[in-house]
Amino acid sequence: MRYARHCRTALVAALASVLLVPVPAVSAAAASPRIPAGATTRRVPADAVEWTDWTDRHPRSGDRDRHAPSAAAGSVTCHAPHAPALASRLSRDIKAALSKRRGTVSLAVYDDRGVTCTRAGTLRYDSASVVKVLIMEGLLRRAEELGRRLTPWEAANVRPMIVRSDNGSAVRLWAALGRGYLNTFLTRARTRATVLGPGGYWGLTRTTATDQMRLLGVLTNAGSFLRTRASGLKLLAEVRADQRWGVPAGMPRGLKAHVKNGWLPRATHGWRVHSIGAFTGERRTYRIVVLSHDNPTMAYGVRTIERIAQAVHRGLNPGRGIGRDLTPETEISEEPDGSAPYEPLPGWDGPEPDATA
């Protein structure tokens, strides 16, 4: 009997891992932040995106693959070789923005003038809809490799996937690209910890702030291997107004925001609320990534992200003032982005024996 029960359990897990259609998410909860057993490790090439996370060079004990107990815990480290006072001020202001905030928060900031900030950059989160940036980049890159433009079918799916976060389009493009190609792309982009969601569950892709910063770099670096990166940036600049909350908060006038967000509750870790963006204009570019979970509501997570974003924009644009206010809570929907199921997925979400949370 014990053997039979074991076989049935294994069969359920195996069937779940090969499902090709994601189950709509309707509520709260998260996967373990660790890489699932059996996941492959990709070799990272020496070239590609220039972003090097501060924690890659100065790892801190206990920083990797751990849950931060609260948003107020953990250190924010900013580095600016030619402007140490700016780095200190950014660190202080971001810490103040996180003060007394609940939840688990990771962030990464990169300015092409040499400023970087990071906090818990290697902590893994369910990606929710921010994974659509990866899908878009993979689609553009594959077309380049085939020596052609996007087909009418590809163009008709990638635009709604980004501009209005259409899930049906994401399902189709995820299947069309295939896991093998997307993993190859992740390697080319020098990501180290992103693991694709099982089967068709693209919203359960696990990722880190550091990896999301590298993927944004594919779109913003002048020397990027993605020659059609301008097309991707254009789509991100056209995301509809009600999905442009998050990292654009506090952005001064004269800059353009290229943004993608994710918002998903699951049975553990409450709401995942993520916002990633690149800001271009006036011969400069910078990027902000904020990933979070353990938020009690979506609105709470949005407010935490926007407090951080305001501090970053203010620090990187002294004297410019704030051109975009915080999003009113009345304009924040508590409707999930539908990118993953609420309940734990057998064989994927089960806690590891040594999990810390």
Side-chain angles (χ1 to χ4, degrees), residues 126-185:
D126 290 336
S127 66
S129 283
V130 297
V131 74
K132 291 167 182 172
V133 173
L134 164 63
I135 297 172
M136 175 188 71
E137 291 180 354
L139 189 72
L140 293 172
R141 178 60 177 172
R142 187 179 66 171
E144 290 179 2
E145 292 172 346
L146 295 173
R148 60 168 176 78
R149 296 181 179 181
L150 295 183
T151 67
W153 181 87
E154 290 170 337
N157 279 282
V158 71
R159 180 173 179 77
M161 179 184 72
I162 297 298
V163 173
R164 56 185 175 87
S165 205
D166 181 68
N167 289 341
S169 298
V171 170
R172 290 185 285 273
L173 293 176
W174 173 273
L177 287 168
R179 303 173 63 79
Y181 185 83
L182 287 170
N183 274 320
T184 298
F185 184 89

Side-chain angles (χ1 to χ4, degrees), residues 54-55 58-64 74-77 118-121:
W54 176 262
T55 56
H58 300 79
R60 297 186 297 274
S61 175
D63 186 50
R64 297 186 181 276
S75 65
V76 177
T77 306
T118 189
R119 180 182 190 276

Side-chain angles (χ1 to χ4, degrees), residues 12-223:
V12 170
L15 287 173
S17 67
V18 298
L19 288 174
L20 294 179
V21 180
V23 176
V26 291
S27 217
S32 162
R34 294 174 177 264
I35 285 184
T40 57
T41 301
R42 296 184 303 276
R43 182 180 64 83
V44 178
D47 62 344
V49 183
E50 92 296 338
W51 163 259
T52 301
D53 183 36
W54 176 262
T55 56
D56 289 343
R57 291 174 281 138
H58 300 79
R60 297 186 297 274
S61 175
D63 186 50
R64 297 186 181 276
D65 296 337
R66 297 286 184 90
H67 283 292
S70 71
S75 65
V76 177
T77 306
C78 294
H79 184 61
H82 304 297
L86 170 60
S88 296
R89 185 168 64 252
L90 270 173
S91 296
R92 182 180 65 250
D93 289 351
I94 294 172
K95 289 176 184 176
L98 285 164
S99 177
K100 299 180 181 179
R101 302 300 291 178
R102 296 162 54 191
T104 302
V105 181
S106 295
L107 65 89
V109 176
Y110 176 86
D111 181 88
D112 61 7
R113 298 175 180 177
V115 181
T116 63
C117 296
T118 189
R119 180 182 190 276
T122 58
L123 182 66
R124 293 181 179 90
Y125 297 80
D126 290 336
S127 66
S129 283
V130 297
V131 74
K132 291 167 182 172
V133 173
L134 164 63
I135 297 172
M136 175 188 71
E137 291 180 354
L139 189 72
L140 293 172
R141 178 60 177 172
R142 187 179 66 171
E144 290 179 2
E145 292 172 346
L146 295 173
R148 60 168 176 78
R149 296 181 179 181
L150 295 183
T151 67
W153 181 87
E154 290 170 337
N157 279 282
V158 71
R159 180 173 179 77
M161 179 184 72
I162 297 298
V163 173
R164 56 185 175 87
S165 205
D166 181 68
N167 289 341
S169 298
V171 170
R172 290 185 285 273
L173 293 176
W174 173 273
L177 287 168
R179 303 173 63 79
Y181 185 83
L182 287 170
N183 274 320
T184 298
F185 184 89
L186 286 168
T187 299
R188 186 68 180 84
R190 295 185 64 224
T191 62
R192 302 178 189 275
T194 297
V195 180
L196 299 178
Y201 291 93
W202 42 268
L204 291 183
T205 294
R206 292 181 184 152
T207 194
T208 67
T210 296
D211 279 1
Q212 288 302 307
M213 181 59 72
R214 289 187 171 114
L215 289 170
L216 281 178
V218 171
L219 295 173
T220 60
N221 294 339

